[in-house]
Amino acid sequence: MTPLSQLSGRRLYYTINLVAGLAIFFFGYDQGMMGGVNTSPDYVRTMKLGYSTYEGPSEGYVATITEPTRQGGIVSIYYFGTLIGCLMGGVLGDRLGRIRTMFVGSLWVLFGAALQCSAQNIAWMLCARVINGIGTGHLNAVVPVWSAEVSTHTSRGAFIAMEFTLNIFGVVVAYWLEFGLGFIGDGTSQIRWRFPIAFQIIPVLAFMFCLWFMPESPRWLIKAGRPDEAKLILSRLRAGINRSEDDSKARANAEFEDIVEVVALEKKHSNRNTYWSMFWGKGSGNLHIARRVQLNIWLQIVQEWVGIAAITVYAPTIFAEAGYSARKSQWLSGLNDITYMFATLFAVLTIDRWGRRVGLWWGAVGQGIALILAGAFARLLKDNPDKATQYGGAAAFFVFLYTAVFGATWLTIPWVYPTETFPLEVRAKGNAWGVVGWSIGNGWLTLLNPVMFSAIGENTLHIFGAVNFLSIPMVWAFYPETANRTLEEMDLLFASKSPFVWDEEENFRKLKDENPQVEHLRAMELKGEARSAIADLDEGKRDSEK
């Protein structure tokens, strides 16, 4: 059996993908877990969220929530933790490296999980949720960046999309584990909610163990002044992938030189590397860092507003109103999660082939139609209870359709985009800005969804459906295509003074035509400094030859 430290080519490539997938699996499990925890009678009693009633031997004890705001607060405060954690992780990821930062984040997660599964009151649980969220924020900020930096530019999206199949697999495992635990006794035991919380420790421990055998990002190593290690790892990563050994070496060397040149230039502008400078674009010149920050924050916020949070909340209600028993509604919700997981495999096949923009477009159309029709049939279901089977079945179908389309498009692309669009010098911090948007969108809607459904019912789905159609011109006008472009070409892509895609693409072609050898350097208003950087590199090479 080949030791992990000696793996190369596809074996190393897929091993890294699997290890990163462990962290993403935990992320999905951690999100899906609270759905079952919130319905556990003992948890509801311990946190003083409501009461439970016995519904017979087939249903057991069923919890009734009388304090929805308190319940929503416990769930949403987790996203406050992820917001803090992603900002911390972004700083550590650029300073300490990707591997060490992921290990630190895992320690936070272990501590938070231990506190959560032993919580005795709401104050304890709130503190534990924040700590757990801080660890998750670390991992969310760095794991996708690590994945993007070791992958090739033609398979970067698929590489991360495969990890999100494991993410939704985590949701599925959480759901069915908690479903099964509901049959223990009469459903009132503590194990029904404490064990699922503790279970998340297992994939995190496996992830931490594997990290010690994983290679650091070659791009970060070059930035950290360790080019020999970077070159060795890059050659191992690119060995024999769809080409001969000599061709693989030549391509790895060319990629290495390209990264070195970009790093040399970016280090001359380290004053733009704080979160404050990034947000306002101070000192970034034609790199337009602030534009990239805003694009990624809003893409993640819109990801939540296209309706996934609403479907997660409202799907069980639709199934119940369709005439299905509580147990059958739970079965349908579980099958919906499985559909969600398999749909992500479609993203693996299309995200690089069709590109990010096409995926967001067709996803928005499919999701918008599904949400509007799900809301319409849910309304008909309420108005015509005698036709619950027909209208309820139609509403359930569009819930499944929405989930499948989202899994194939909007689930993965907003997570891939931030890993691609920032310069190496601030890539972890840049991805952290994307996680900030995700935390804001999630936390906001976790509190807002119950209020919206209480006030306007199924019309909430129509609002989210409309947001899908509004996202289409937003993507068309402001989000340039990043698929099949190297990470080093992104400076060139965002060099245009205009934020509109058509101007950025025209400027990109113009700069490539000027000088393809130093195209990423000419993307900035710093040609004199770029020439100086190249001269420094040439001088360094001559010294090493001597």
Side-chain angles (χ1 to χ4, degrees):
M1 186 174 179
T2 305
L4 289 176
S5 59
Q6 297 178 12
L7 290 176
S8 63
R10 287 189 178 277
R11 288 186 177 182
L12 177 59
Y13 205 59
Y14 291 134
T15 301
I16 292 172
N17 195 215
L18 180 61
V19 172
L22 284 172
I24 303 297
F25 169 86
F26 149 75
F27 170 38
Y29 179 89
D30 200 40
Q31 278 195 294
M33 170 195 72
M34 286 306 292
V37 168
N38 281 331
T39 61
S40 171
D42 185 74
Y43 173 81
V44 170
R45 178 190 60 79
T46 302
M47 301 301 159
K48 296 180 171 56
L49 304 177
Y51 62 91
S52 301
T53 54
Y54 187 67
E55 301 290 338
S58 63
E59 305 294 336
Y61 278 88
V62 177
T64 300
I65 305 299
T66 58
E67 299 288 344
T69 304
R70 179 179 292 191
Q71 182 193 51
I74 293 174
V75 176
S76 63
I77 201 170
Y78 169 82
Y79 299 106
F80 176 68
T82 61
L83 192 151
I84 297 172
C86 73
L87 295 175
M88 293 168 60
V91 173
L92 292 178
D94 285 331
R95 289 184 181 176
L96 301 181
R98 315 315 189 205
I99 299 294
R100 290 179 180 175
T101 304
M102 290 186 287
F103 193 84
V104 170
S106 300
L107 291 175
W108 278 95
V109 168
L110 292 179
F111 186 39
L115 287 176
Q116 279 189 88
C117 69
S118 58
Q120 300 298 320
N121 52 59
I122 190 170
W124 187 330
M125 191 66 175
L126 289 171
C127 291
R129 292 282 291 167
V130 171
I131 292 171
N132 197 261
I134 289 172
T136 305
H138 273 72
L139 297 178
N140 286 353
V142 179
V143 172
V145 169
W146 180 51
S147 300
E149 289 183 339
V150 300
S151 61
T152 63
H153 68 282
T154 56
S155 61
R156 189 169 55 239
F159 196 70
I160 298 176
M162 279 190 285
E163 294 169 5
F164 273 87
T165 300
L166 288 174
N167 173 266
I168 306 306
F169 180 58
V171 175
V172 171
V173 169
Y175 184 87
W176 288 106
L177 175 64
E178 290 170 328
F179 179 79
L181 290 173
F183 289 93
I184 295 178
D186 57 8
T188 60
S189 67
Q190 294 187 31
I191 196 173
R192 182 172 174 179
W193 68 275
R194 295 193 188 274
F195 179 76
I197 294 175
F199 184 81
Q200 65 186 291
I201 293 173
I202 296 174
V204 175
L205 285 175
F207 175 67
M208 293 172 72
F209 174 77
C210 293
L211 275 181
W212 291 112
F213 303 98
M214 292 296 100
E216 181 57 89
S217 160
R219 286 174 165 84
W220 181 84
L221 287 170
I222 293 172
K223 189 187 81 166
R226 295 155 62 181
D228 293 337
E229 292 178 59
K231 195 168 189 178
L232 177 62
I233 291 172
L234 200 57
S235 63
R236 285 173 57 200
L237 285 166
R238 303 296 181 253
I241 297 182
N242 295 329
R243 56 183 72 98
S244 67
E245 184 176 345
D246 290 340
D247 190 30
S248 296
K249 287 182 179 179
R251 288 174 180 263
N253 287 335
E255 186 176 354
F256 174 81
E257 295 297 332
D258 200 36
I259 299 168
V260 167
E261 290 178 358
V262 171
V263 170
L265 181 62
E266 288 179 351
K267 283 187 175 180
K268 292 180 176 291
H269 308 285
S270 58
N271 62 328
R272 66 160 190 263
N273 291 355
T274 65
Y275 283 119
W276 181 260
S277 297
M278 291 176 67
F279 188 83
W280 297 107
K282 292 184 177 181
S284 67
N286 270 10
L287 289 174
H288 297 117
I289 300 298
R291 183 192 305 169
R292 308 190 210 190
V293 167
Q294 292 298 326
L295 288 176
N296 286 293
I297 287 177
W298 284 103
L299 186 61
Q300 287 279 25
I301 290 175
V302 173
Q303 183 199 38
E304 299 307 314
W305 275 89
V306 294
I308 186 60
I311 283 293
T312 302
V313 169
Y314 202 58
T317 301
I318 290 177
F319 298 149
E321 289 179 349
Y324 301 111
S325 67
R327 290 292 189 202
K328 286 184 178 179
S329 295
Q330 290 173 340
W331 273 97
L332 284 171
S333 295
L335 291 174
N336 190 39
D337 286 340
I338 293 174
T339 302
Y340 193 7
M341 179 184 70
F342 282 113
T344 61
L345 296 175
F346 190 77
V348 175
L349 300 175
T350 60
I351 191 169
D352 289 315
R353 187 171 301 174
W354 294 357
R356 319 304 187 232
R357 285 162 59 83
V358 172
L360 293 173
W361 285 335
W362 82 261
V365 171
Q367 291 163 187
I369 293 172
L371 283 173
I372 290 172
L373 290 177
F377 280 109
R379 179 74 262 174
L380 290 170
L381 179 60
K382 281 185 177 180
D383 294 341
N384 302 276
D386 56 314
K387 297 183 178 180
T389 303
Q390 299 95 312
Y391 293 141
F397 169 78
F398 286 110
V399 167
F400 273 71
L401 178 63
Y402 171 87
T403 305
V405 175
F406 182 85
T409 55
W410 275 82
L411 169 69
T412 53
I413 295 172
W415 285 99
V416 172
Y417 209 80
T419 69
E420 302 176 305
T421 48
F422 288 96
L424 173 60
E425 191 73 14
V426 292
R427 188 163 294 138
K429 292 191 188 75
N431 193 54
W433 276 117
V435 181
V436 166
W438 173 81
S439 301
I440 292 170
N442 249 311
W444 184 7
L445 284 176
T446 300
L447 290 173
L448 189 59
N449 265 324
V451 177
M452 293 177 69
F453 279 113
S454 176
I456 59 175
E458 66 286 337
N459 288 323
T460 304
L461 299 181
H462 296 150
I463 291 174
F464 290 125
V467 171
N468 275 277
F469 292 109
L470 291 174
S471 73
I472 295 173
M474 179 190 80
V475 172
W476 173 72
F478 298 112
Y479 287 82
E481 184 59 71
T482 56
N484 299 308
R485 285 170 170 161
T486 68
L487 295 177
E488 285 64 49
E489 284 181 323
M490 296 304 159
D491 290 343
L492 190 67
L493 184 61
F494 288 97
S496 170
K497 288 182 172 59
S498 169
F500 295 108
V501 167
W502 46 89
D503 292 325
E504 291 176 328
E505 290 290 352
E506 182 181 355
N507 193 58
F508 178 80
R509 289 189 294 269
K510 185 188 301 182
L511 291 170
K512 282 180 71 74
D513 292 340
E514 275 188 29
N515 192 334
Q517 298 301 317
V518 290
E519 59 195 24
H520 54 280
L521 300 176
R522 292 188 181 271
M524 310 169 194
E525 284 181 337
L526 302 164
K527 292 185 179 180
E529 295 188 26
R531 286 193 293 270
S532 175
I534 295 171
D536 291 343
L537 288 166
D538 291 339
E539 185 178 348
K541 290 176 184 177
R542 287 193 295 272
D543 290 342
S544 63
E545 289 172 358
K546 290 179 182 178

